[in-house]
Amino acid sequence: MASPDQDLVPVLDKDGVRLTVDDAIATVTLTNPAKRNAQSPALWRALTEAGQQLPGSVRVVVLRAEGKSFSAGLDRQAFTPEGFDGEPSFIDLARGSDVELDATIAEYQEAFTWWRRSDIVSVAAVQGHAIGAGFQLALACDLRVVAADVQFAMRETSLGLVPDLTGTHPLVGLVGYARALEICVTGRFVTAEEAVNTGLANVAVPADQLDDTVRDLASAVLAAPRDAVVETKALLRGAQDRTYEDQRGAERQAQARRLRDLAGIGD
């Protein structure tokens, strides 16, 4: 898959992650196709750093991956006694205290949380396999555009683990509890057609149209005024945690801010 940001100077390029910025659009690319963009703690730290390096001008963040697979999930080296160089193995983590283990997992989760920030709209361009941590990384984004060959799978439960990289909340929100449970405990593949039909993906396109479709979507997002997009995202993200009456109030408050801003009247 050709990179749409190959002519840009990277803001960050390390540990399988590259960040480039083109005015209001930032692109985060997974850059280890030889290992199907398998994930590791070093990659997660690089993703966290990418979020911290975003300039204030950025309104849309595109997440994409080089090669035939978006991400095959956690690098299986994590399950070996030696683990990764300079990193605690999963066996070492299991031997730590509850506080230490919780803090380590929370650090890993940071790579998956910043995509939900209200000041950006994040779009995942997903092709091929998106398994386990790869599935959860796609779920971390606001929107998902998928290639026709996409195959999502949540394999953690099959390995005796649970999905712990922030993917359970958006998955249940998108497809409902019963289907989310079935997807997780069976570890089966979810195809592009099912992803679109259940709300996991916004649209599915042929693989050679993936980058162009994402660019068109990013342009459409940028066509709306930034403050209105920020307010709308915050309003929608909070809707499932509010009652109907509370949501009505949140709408009124948000609209009041927008009207005052458009009229040039301060709070």
Side-chain angles (χ1 to χ4, degrees):
M1 189 181 222
S3 174
D5 58 346
Q6 58 189 358
D7 295 328
L8 299 173
V9 177
V11 176
L12 175 77
D13 196 354
K14 61 190 292 189
D15 297 320
V17 174
R18 182 173 65 243
L19 167 66
T20 58
V21 177
D22 186 5
D23 194 16
I25 301 177
T27 302
V28 177
T29 304
L30 305 182
T31 60
N32 192 4
K35 296 194 72 171
R36 295 195 299 161
N37 298 304
Q39 299 183 31
S40 66
L43 180 140
W44 294 334
R45 284 193 291 272
L47 284 175
T48 299
E49 187 175 345
Q52 296 168 343
Q53 293 289 327
L54 288 182
S57 61
V58 170
R59 295 182 54 192
V60 176
V61 180
V62 174
L63 170 64
R64 60 182 303 280
E66 294 179 347
K68 295 182 178 180
S69 292
F70 178 76
S71 174
L74 183 64
D75 191 320
R76 291 303 179 94
Q77 189 172 335
F79 296 100
T80 63
E82 61 272 14
F84 302 101
D85 290 341
E87 303 280 354
S89 69
F90 275 20
I91 295 174
D92 293 331
L93 290 177
R95 291 181 177 134
S97 69
D98 288 347
V99 172
E100 292 170 333
L101 186 54
D102 185 81
T104 300
I105 296 173
E107 179 188 350
Y108 295 163
Q109 289 175 332
E110 288 299 314
F112 297 75
T113 58
W114 62 267
W115 308 89
R116 301 178 177 91
R117 283 167 32 182
S118 292
D119 61 322
I120 60 172
V121 174
S122 53
V123 184
V126 190
Q127 79 280 3
H129 292 99
I131 298 174
F135 192 3
Q136 293 187 79
L137 186 56
L139 285 167
C141 293
D142 297 311
L143 309 173
R144 279 154 296 284
V145 177
V146 302
D149 68 346
V150 78
Q151 290 184 300
F152 291 111
M154 202 72 83
R155 291 289 171 80
E156 286 83 351
T157 308
S158 303
L159 296 171
L161 303 170
V162 299
D164 66 338
L165 297 172
T166 79
T168 58
H169 189 276
L171 181 62
V172 172
L174 290 166
V175 305
Y177 160 75
R179 189 179 294 268
L181 177 63
E182 180 255 330
I183 288 171
C184 289
V185 300
T186 65
R188 69 172 177 84
F189 285 120
V190 177
T191 64
E193 181 180 8
E194 181 182 352
V196 172
N197 289 341
T198 59
L200 271 175
N202 295 81
V203 64
V205 297
D208 60 358
Q209 297 178 23
L210 187 59
D211 285 331
D212 287 341
T213 302
V214 170
R215 272 193 290 268
D216 289 344
L217 179 56
S219 296
V221 171
L222 294 177
R226 179 171 195 161
D227 289 344
V229 173
V230 170
E231 289 275 13
T232 299
K233 178 175 176 179
L235 192 62
L236 294 175
R237 282 199 57 81
Q240 62 184 343
D241 297 323
R242 301 188 188 104
T243 65
Y244 177 72
E245 291 302 322
D246 288 343
Q247 184 69 5
R248 287 178 61 205
E251 289 174 359
R252 295 194 298 272
Q253 294 166 13
Q255 193 70 301
R257 287 191 292 270
R258 297 306 313 127
L259 290 170
R260 291 193 181 104
D261 185 64
L262 291 173
I265 302 171
D267 292 336

